[in-house]
Amino acid sequence: MPSTPSHLKLGFQRNTYNRVSFGKQIQEQEHSCIGADRESSEGCKSNHESIQQNVDYINFGLEDQMEVYGYKRHMGLTVISWLFILLSLGMIRLVFHWWPRLMLIATHKRCSLIDAEKVLVVERYQGKHKCYYVKTIKNITVQNMCRNNYDEEVGIRNNWKEQALIELKSSGTPKLSVHTSSGIFKEVDVVRLFDCKKLRYVWDNDKAEFYKLCGLDKNVTTSTLHKQIGLSLAHQYLRRCVYGQNEIVVPLRGVLALLFLEVLNPFYVFQIFSFILWFADDYIYYALAIFLMSAISITMTVVQTRNNQINLHNTVHKSDVVTVLRAGTSTSEPVVSLIPTEQLVPGDLMLIPSHGCNMHCDAVLLAGNCIVNESMLTGESVPVTKTPLPNSSLLYDDKEYARHTLFCGTKVIQTRYYGMERVYAVVIRTGFSTAKGNLVRSILYPPPVDFKFERDSYKFVQLLAAIASIGFIYTVITKYLRGISATDIALEALDLITIVVPPALPAAMTVGRMYAQKRLQKSNIYCISPRTINVSGSINCVCFDKTGTLTEDGLDLWGVVPTKDNQFHIPVKHPELMEPCLLLTAMVSCHSLTIIDEKLSGDPLDLKMFESTGWILEEPEVSDDTKFDLISPTVVKPANSKIRNSTEEVLNSLEVGIIRQFPFSSSLQRMSVITRRLGAAHFTVFCKGSPEMIQRLCRSETIPCDFVTRLEEYTQEGYRVLGIAYRDLPCRLSYPKMQRLSREDVEIDLCFLGLVVLE
């Protein structure tokens, strides 16, 4: 494999769990991280220094910070603008089509946001690019919603809306609800909002600013989420009026709309101009040839774009039905109702069926366990176990509590629960605010490209325009001095422009893009922005930050390095031959493996480590969907053939029950389990994670003196290294008290056991 070009200066960040460490370089890398943080803060500082005075912002201080300006229609400017449009035979309107903000400036007058009818949103990318969005402000009231049938629920039974309207009329004067913070929904009579880049921004009268409409994922404590009791039909309808339908829809333009948009492209407008000019100058055959080429290229572009839009729309858009709990009155129990997923709003309590389902929103799991396939979002096909959200006073964070969050686009394979108890979750985000919605938005609104090829292309067009302008002026002057008629001067001068700028260039580029799209389509790659294909041709290096994409698929256990008497021993290449010991017990118990459909499933690293021991894993003889929080839900024990000449009593004494699990956390760089050996008088904690983190948690007298040196030897060879440690809990600790232990109280004063090396 050829080496990486040195001028590319590529760097790869280490994995926080089983990261490749470089011993003596740890402190140096920490210093470099601090330096990077300083550079980042300086970048943020320079960004804030560029903040303009007397300018309103949305998403202030965030990556998607944008400027927003208010405009109100001015009748005088509107009349004058349309007068000039008529006098120019529509040419000015064509310019306004290319630059919509000019139409806004020409027909509206700048005003404050509180009086604005439209807004101009300006997005800046790294100080080099600007993107402009012209959006209309909408005023929503309950009366307008009921009168105008705002829902537009296509394919949904109307009796839901009829029931909601009956409840609204019986409730007196209903109001719209908008989430502010702390799980509190503020009730208002009128909601002013506008949509930009598939996100909704709502006007705050108190702060006199627009802010991004959020669900129950911002400034909400976990205890508040646990207090959610569901929504009545009327409250859900009012909330949906503000949040909109829970759907991720890629816009589908009609064939005529695509045709007009393509024809009005500046290149093809220039083609039409050239075609008319050549006909006037009797270039009949040449004009017809160019016209035919342009017509074919336009047709192919429209067909290809339409097909790509349909394919992407069908891939993204999903619909289903879901069971929710309707909040009853103070004296009645919650009612179970079956609704379309499009009607879900933040605050709904949805029931997760035992056979699993596809998630159409982001929701926080409140009761029961779920086994989820998150391959759509993470690319990992390994199922992930989701546990209920802790009930505390801490603020909810989707990254910190990812193990308790069901993300949109993922698939729930199974649920596990107590007996007949329900597995339910509270909806926190819907539509384009979800994890899947953000992924689709990044496809629909990619950041502007800044390639040298793109800049050179614009310079080339500008150079041609400059040459054509010089030739145009020279021709007009020389022909006029010779006394040639104005008609001939105009034809010859304009003809010079069409010669300098190649008329067949747009058609040639379209044909090239079409063939490129067909090659991409064969690999199931959909391109919704064909112009980027030309830019992609100039790329000579592509790097992915996904583990397993650049590396070999699959892991192998290189060996185990045990410790004894504060010293590393000879590495063991075959763990299945090891005598029963604490290190072997840690390898077979400290994992998140589970049995799904009679097959062992879990993280590939955990699977490889467990399979290398030759032990077996057993779960209670109950259906998969009832394996939830049992006293000893999982038992690991050696296979009978692995320990020869052993009695049944000896084999039983080696059985280990996994009582409690603290799942892996990327911020903590570790996971741990609490286990109990059959017949033992105490619980034992096993912990595994990055060697540096395990070293910090262990007692210093248990760490070998050559720890850093030995770790450096393995990591410089490119091996993945895990640290293993354990701790015996006090004998007097009862089961209920053990269940109440916090993670911080468990993962302390550990004893180092050794290293697990994988390749």
Side-chain angles (χ1 to χ4, degrees):
M1 180 177 179
S3 59
T4 303
S6 59
H7 69 278
L8 293 178
K9 300 179 181 179
L10 301 179
F12 299 92
Q13 186 177 2
R14 299 175 300 173
N15 186 286
T16 55
Y17 182 10
N18 39 16
R19 56 182 182 175
V20 178
S21 309
F22 293 90
K24 297 179 181 179
Q25 300 179 8
I26 293 174
Q27 294 182 351
E28 297 177 4
Q29 291 179 352
E30 288 178 350
H31 287 302
S32 65
C33 290
I34 295 174
D37 291 340
R38 288 176 178 172
E39 291 179 3
S40 177
S41 62
E42 289 176 359
C44 295
K45 181 178 180 182
S46 62
N47 186 31
H48 286 297
E49 287 177 352
S50 63
I51 299 300
Q52 304 177 27
Q53 298 295 330
N54 300 324
V55 174
D56 295 296
Y57 292 89
I58 52 178
N59 306 325
F60 183 78
L62 302 178
E63 292 183 357
D64 54 349
Q65 172 181 299
M66 294 181 284
E67 304 167 16
V68 57
Y69 303 91
Y71 284 87
K72 192 173 184 178
R73 181 173 292 277
H74 189 281
M75 292 305 300
L77 293 177
T78 302
V79 172
I80 294 174
S81 298
W82 279 101
L83 179 62
F84 277 100
I85 289 173
L86 294 175
L87 293 176
S88 63
L89 301 179
M91 291 302 299
I92 295 179
R93 184 63 184 87
L94 184 60
V95 174
F96 287 162
H97 169 75
W98 294 333
W99 293 285
R101 68 180 185 277
L102 298 181
M103 180 73 172
L104 178 69
I105 297 172
T107 58
H108 291 66
K109 187 178 181 180
R110 180 87 175 271
C111 66
S112 62
L113 291 178
I114 195 171
D115 299 322
E117 298 174 353
K118 290 188 177 183
V119 291
L120 175 64
V121 180
V122 182
E123 188 172 16
R124 301 177 185 270
Y125 288 94
Q126 302 175 352
K128 298 179 181 179
H129 302 276
K130 287 185 181 180
C131 291
Y132 297 90
Y133 307 93
V134 178
K135 301 298 177 181
T136 302
I137 296 177
K138 296 180 288 187
N139 294 314
I140 298 177
T141 64
V142 177
Q143 292 74 18
N144 289 340
M145 297 304 98
C146 298
R147 183 169 56 250
N148 298 333
N149 193 14
Y150 176 73
D151 268 347
E152 299 178 358
E153 298 168 339
V154 180
I156 299 175
R157 291 185 298 168
N158 292 328
N159 60 345
W160 274 302
K161 178 166 183 175
E162 293 174 359
Q163 295 174 11
L165 294 178
I166 293 173
E167 288 190 18
L168 287 175
K169 293 178 181 178
S170 62
S171 61
T173 57
K175 294 185 177 182
L176 299 171
S177 60
V178 180
H179 181 241
T180 54
S181 62
S182 303
I184 299 174
F185 281 82
K186 182 180 179 181
E187 293 189 346
V188 294
D189 296 319
V190 181
V191 176
R192 296 182 70 231
L193 53 85
F194 69 88
D195 297 325
C196 183
K197 297 176 67 173
K198 302 299 182 182
L199 294 180
R200 183 156 287 185
Y201 296 88
V202 178
W203 177 254
D204 188 339
N205 281 319
D206 298 330
K207 298 181 180 179
E209 64 179 11
F210 282 101
Y211 67 93
K212 185 191 299 182
L213 181 63
C214 62
L216 288 174
D217 57 323
K218 301 295 182 183
N219 302 319
V220 178
T221 62
T222 57
S223 60
T224 301
L225 294 175
H226 274 278
K227 294 177 183 177
Q228 300 298 314
I229 60 174
L231 302 173
S232 65
L233 186 62
H235 282 91
Q236 190 200 50
Y237 176 77
L238 291 175
R239 197 166 292 184
R240 191 165 63 251
C241 291
V242 177
Y243 282 88
Q245 297 283 87
N246 174 39
E247 54 187 3
I248 302 174
V249 179
V250 176
L252 271 180
R253 290 193 174 99
V255 176
L256 290 179
L258 291 174
L259 180 62
F260 277 106
L261 288 175
E262 191 67 23
V263 171
L264 294 180
N265 184 288
F267 269 118
Y268 288 112
V269 170
F270 178 74
Q271 290 286 68
I272 295 173
F273 165 76
S274 303
F275 177 74
I276 296 173
L277 181 64
W278 295 328
F279 254 99
D281 205 18
D282 293 333
Y283 291 154
I284 306 298
Y285 296 110
Y286 184 68
L288 289 176
I290 296 298
F291 176 80
L292 184 61
M293 289 177 58
S294 300
I296 294 174
S297 64
I298 289 174
T299 302
M300 290 191 303
T301 300
V302 169
V303 172
Q304 197 72 28
T305 303
R306 175 68 177 176
N307 291 336
N308 288 338
Q309 286 185 352
I310 293 175
N311 290 332
L312 184 60
H313 178 273
N314 295 337
T315 301
V316 171
H317 181 66
K318 303 292 182 182
S319 181
D320 204 347
V321 292
V322 62
T323 304
V324 297
L325 289 178
R326 295 281 191 211
T329 61
S330 57
T331 59
S332 62
E333 292 292 328
V335 179
V336 177
S337 178
L338 194 67
I339 66 171
T341 53
E342 290 87 352
Q343 292 190 1
L344 288 172
V345 295
D348 271 327
L349 277 183
M350 57 180 296
L351 299 180
I352 311 297
S354 60
H355 55 78
C357 64
N358 291 311
M359 291 300 299
H360 295 268
C361 61
D362 286 354
V364 171
L365 191 62
L366 300 182
N369 286 2
C370 291
I371 299 176
V372 185
N373 183 354
E374 295 186 333
S375 59
M376 200 285 294
L377 295 180
T378 64
E380 298 287 353
S381 59
V382 179
V384 179
T385 301
K386 301 287 185 175
T387 56
L389 180 74
N391 192 344
S392 67
S393 59
L394 298 177
L395 290 177
Y396 170 79
D397 180 78
D398 57 354
K399 293 182 179 179
E400 186 65 27
Y401 293 104
R403 283 283 181 177
H404 316 293
T405 306
L406 305 174
F407 294 103
C408 179
T410 61
K411 180 178 177 59
V412 177
I413 303 174
Q414 284 180 356
T415 61
R416 296 181 174 181
Y417 49 88
Y418 276 124
M420 299 302 294
E421 292 293 327
R422 294 166 172 166
V423 179
Y424 61 90
V426 59
V427 178
I428 59 172
R429 289 185 296 253
T430 58
F432 279 95
S433 297
T434 61
K436 180 181 177 181
N438 286 328
L439 181 62
V440 176
R441 284 199 317 113
S442 65
I443 298 174
L444 297 178
Y445 303 97
V449 293
D450 189 28
F451 294 107
K452 188 174 184 296
F453 173 82
E454 186 85 356
R455 296 195 299 270
D456 291 345
S457 299
Y458 288 119
K459 291 178 181 178
F460 175 69
V461 174
Q462 292 171 2
L463 178 62
L464 293 180
I467 295 174
S469 300
I470 294 174
F472 178 83
I473 296 173
Y474 176 79
T475 302
V476 170
I477 295 175
T478 55
K479 297 292 183 181
Y480 176 77
L481 294 177
R482 295 177 185 176
I484 299 176
S485 63
T487 303
D488 293 338
I489 292 176
L491 288 175
E492 294 185 13
L494 295 174
D495 189 32
L496 182 63
I497 295 178
T498 63
I499 294 174
V500 174
V501 180
L505 180 61
M509 294 179 66
T510 300
V511 172
R513 287 199 301 262
M514 183 202 68
Y515 282 110
Q517 281 182 284
K518 285 189 175 297
R519 289 196 297 270
L520 290 174
Q521 192 174 14
K522 291 179 180 178
S523 301
N524 293 324
I525 299 174
Y526 307 126
C527 180
I528 61 174
S529 180
R531 59 183 295 271
T532 58
I533 293 178
N534 295 330
V535 179
S536 302
S538 63
I539 297 175
N540 55 20
C541 181
V542 179
C543 294
F544 302 90
D545 64 350
K546 186 81 174 61
T547 303
T549 304
L550 295 179
T551 58
E552 182 181 357
D553 186 19
L555 287 170
D556 288 320
L557 187 74
W558 179 87
V560 180
V561 187
T563 61
K564 188 176 182 180
D565 299 329
N566 201 23
Q567 294 291 331
F568 279 115
H569 278 219
I570 299 175
V572 178
K573 293 297 187 69
H574 301 284
E576 70 273 11
L577 301 179
M578 294 174 61
E579 292 296 326
C581 60
L582 287 171
L583 180 56
L584 182 63
T585 306
M587 293 176 62
V588 298
S589 62
C590 192
H591 52 70
S592 58
L593 302 178
T594 186
I595 296 177
I596 302 177
D597 296 332
E598 301 181 355
K599 182 180 179 182
L600 200 60
S601 301
D603 186 271
L605 186 148
D606 290 341
L607 274 172
K608 183 61 65 175
M609 185 173 65
F610 182 81
E611 291 173 351
S612 67
T613 64
W615 284 45
I616 57 177
L617 182 143
E618 292 182 351
E619 290 185 338
E621 295 295 332
V622 295
S623 61
D624 287 344
D625 54 13
T626 58
K627 298 173 182 175
F628 173 68
D629 221 14
L630 301 177
I631 298 298
S632 182
T634 303
V635 173
V636 291
K637 62 181 182 180
N640 294 337
S641 59
K642 296 298 179 183
I643 300 181
R644 299 175 182 175
N645 302 323
S646 298
T647 63
E648 185 178 352
E649 183 179 354
V650 173
L651 290 174
N652 291 337
S653 66
L654 296 176
E655 292 187 10
V656 178
I658 303 173
I659 310 300
R660 191 178 175 191
Q661 181 186 112
F662 296 98
F664 166 71
S665 170
S666 58
S667 59
L668 299 178
Q669 304 175 20
R670 62 183 183 271
M671 74 160 294
S672 59
V673 293
I674 299 178
T675 66
R676 192 168 191 170
R677 186 168 51 84
L678 187 64
H682 62 272
F683 297 102
T684 303
V685 176
F686 291 104
C687 184
K688 79 175 180 198
S690 66
E692 298 88 352
M693 179 56 67
I694 298 299
Q695 180 189 17
R696 297 176 195 171
L697 299 175
C698 290
R699 300 202 305 267
S700 58
E701 63 269 18
T702 65
I703 302 294
C705 57
D706 59 342
F707 176 84
V708 174
T709 304
R710 184 65 68 92
L711 180 61
E712 184 179 1
E713 292 177 2
Y714 293 124
T715 54
Q716 285 189 350
E717 292 294 328
Y719 295 131
R720 290 190 179 185
V721 184
L722 293 178
I724 305 288
Y726 88 102
R727 172 195 172 199
D728 286 330
L729 296 179
C731 295
R732 64 181 182 275
L733 187 67
S734 64
Y735 180 83
K737 290 183 178 179
M738 181 274 297
Q739 288 288 354
R740 291 195 295 267
L741 285 176
S742 65
R743 186 166 191 165
E744 292 74 17
D745 295 332
V746 171
E747 297 171 339
I748 57 172
D749 296 332
L750 302 177
C751 297
F752 189 73
L753 288 175
L755 300 174
V756 175
V757 184
L758 300 104
E759 60 179 352

